[in-house]
Amino acid sequence: MIGKKEKIDQFKRDCRSVKFLTKKLIETNDELEALAYKMQGVSGISTEKARCENAGYNDNRLALMEQEQELIDKRKEYSIRINRVNRILAKINPAITMIITDLYINGKGSDEVAAQYSMSKPKMYRDIEKALEPFL
C-alpha cells in the first residue's frame, strides 16, 4: 500500500516532469503530422493527364499504421500525466498552486520561493503537503 508521503512525493516528481512531458507531447504531435503526410503518399503535383492506378500493397503502410498507433499511445500517456497534475493544481488553494508551480514546475529555489511568499521553508513545505493530502 502506498502511503500519503509517497503519493505526495510522486506528485512533486510529476510536477517537475510537466515541462518535459509538454515538450515530448509537442514532438509526438509533430511526428504524427509527418507520419500522416507519409501515409497519404503525396509526392507532388503532376501536370500529366489523370490516370487510374492501383496503389499496390507492397508499400509500408502497415508499418506506418503501427508506428502511428505507438505515437498515439505515447501522446495519450503524456496527456494523462500532464492533465493529472493540472487537475490537482486546479483543486487546491490558488496561493499554494502558485508556490507549487514556482517551486516544482518553474524550478525556482526553495529559499527564493519562501522569501517571495513571505514564509519560512518548513511552513511552505507543510502548507504544500497539507493542501495536497486530500487530493492524493
Side-chain angles (χ1 to χ4, degrees):
M1 180 85 179
I2 298 175
K4 287 285 185 183
K5 177 74 174 146
E6 289 84 13
K7 288 181 181 181
I8 289 172
D9 289 343
Q10 181 60 46
F11 179 75
K12 290 175 183 178
R13 286 190 293 273
D14 289 344
C15 284
R16 288 183 185 108
S17 301
V18 165
K19 283 188 177 182
F20 170 77
L21 292 171
T22 302
K23 289 177 185 175
K24 293 299 284 182
L25 183 64
I26 291 168
E27 288 175 11
T28 304
N29 283 335
D30 291 344
E31 289 177 33
L32 278 168
E33 189 176 324
L35 196 59
Y37 184 77
K38 280 184 190 177
M39 289 175 65
Q40 285 179 347
V42 178
S43 60
I45 299 173
S46 175
T47 57
E48 297 178 16
K49 184 178 176 185
R51 53 190 162 154
C52 298
E53 296 180 357
N54 287 338
Y57 293 102
N58 59 354
D59 59 353
N60 61 351
R61 289 184 190 225
L62 185 58
L64 292 175
M65 289 172 67
E66 289 173 355
Q67 187 179 359
E68 179 186 38
Q69 188 58 46
E70 288 173 9
L71 290 172
I72 289 170
D73 292 343
K74 279 185 184 179
R75 181 178 64 182
K76 183 177 179 182
E77 177 191 340
Y78 298 148
S79 296
I80 288 170
R81 290 177 63 189
I82 292 168
N83 288 336
R84 178 181 175 268
V85 169
N86 290 335
R87 269 194 318 272
I88 291 171
L89 289 177
K91 292 178 183 178
I92 63 176
N93 181 341
I96 302 297
T97 299
M98 293 302 300
I99 293 171
I100 291 172
T101 302
D102 286 343
L103 193 59
Y104 300 112
I105 296 175
N106 296 335
K108 291 183 180 178
S110 57
D111 292 326
E112 180 184 353
V113 175
Q116 180 180 347
Y117 292 98
S118 303
M119 59 177 63
S120 67
K121 283 175 38 176
K123 180 178 178 356
M124 178 180 68
Y125 287 119
R126 267 195 318 271
D127 288 351
I128 289 171
E129 290 189 11
K130 186 178 176 183
L132 290 175
E133 206 169 274
F135 302 107
L136 298 176

